[in-house]
Amino acid sequence: MHPSLPFLISAAVLASSATVASANQPEPGLWEITADMSVPSAPGFKQAPVAIQQCFSAADARDPSRILMGVSNPGAGNCRFSDKRESAGHTDFAVFCEGAFAIAGRGSVDFTPNSLRGDLNMNFVSGTSGDTQRVSAVSRITGKRIGSC
């Protein structure tokens, strides 16, 4: 599996949560985001959690694509969110990222100004040219604001 996938998924969940205009909106600042991933069809596979720290600006809250630009994943890009259902402190969404490592999925995230927790059920193609397979995976994401940038 592509090593940057947890970073992309973490950013995608944070980006989707950032679009809700409410008192529960994530606050700008330095965030630590942790993601793990499991593959239900391969019970023995569970990726160790991956953590990143990311500066989240007020402008990022208004434009989720700015968050995704900071994520290095050459195989998946131009991510789009659709079918968003938002309420105070919660967002459900669909996401699709194009490229050689295209990702499609549905997710949800619960958040406060200083924390978030979410799940993303996704499908992507794994393997090398001539030997690829479609994989379904589940990513669990947590995040917390740890200070100013």
Side-chain angles (χ1 to χ4, degrees):
M1 271 184 229
H2 196 283
S4 296
L5 184 60
F7 295 118
L8 176 66
I9 302 309
S10 299
V13 171
L14 182 59
S16 68
S17 70
T19 62
V20 176
S22 74
N24 287 340
Q25 184 172 0
E27 289 185 9
L30 183 62
W31 282 72
E32 182 174 78
I33 303 166
T34 303
D36 67 17
M37 185 173 61
S38 61
V39 177
S41 64
F45 175 83
K46 178 149 172 83
Q47 185 170 0
V50 176
I52 61 170
Q53 290 186 357
Q54 183 169 348
C55 190
F56 183 56
S57 72
D60 293 331
R62 293 186 302 274
D63 183 3
S65 67
R66 291 176 62 149
I67 295 170
L68 294 175
M69 286 190 189
V71 178
S72 174
N73 189 348
N78 194 26
C79 297
R80 294 183 305 276
F81 297 95
S82 62
D83 194 25
K84 288 189 222 175
R85 292 183 297 258
E86 303 170 333
S87 60
H90 182 81
T91 301
D92 290 310
F93 60 93
V95 63
F96 176 76
C97 302
E98 298 174 347
F101 198 68
I103 298 168
R106 289 211 56 87
S108 67
V109 64
D110 294 303
F111 52 90
T112 69
N114 294 303
S115 68
L116 64 88
R117 176 181 287 289
D119 296 305
L120 181 65
N121 296 300
M122 64 194 138
N123 294 296
F124 58 92
V125 176
S126 181
T128 58
S129 181
D131 185 24
T132 62
Q133 65 182 14
R134 179 146 301 280
V135 176
S136 294
V138 177
S139 185
R140 309 236 187 270
I141 295 95
T142 58
K144 62 182 176 181
R145 186 178 183 282
I146 56 176
S148 299
C149 296

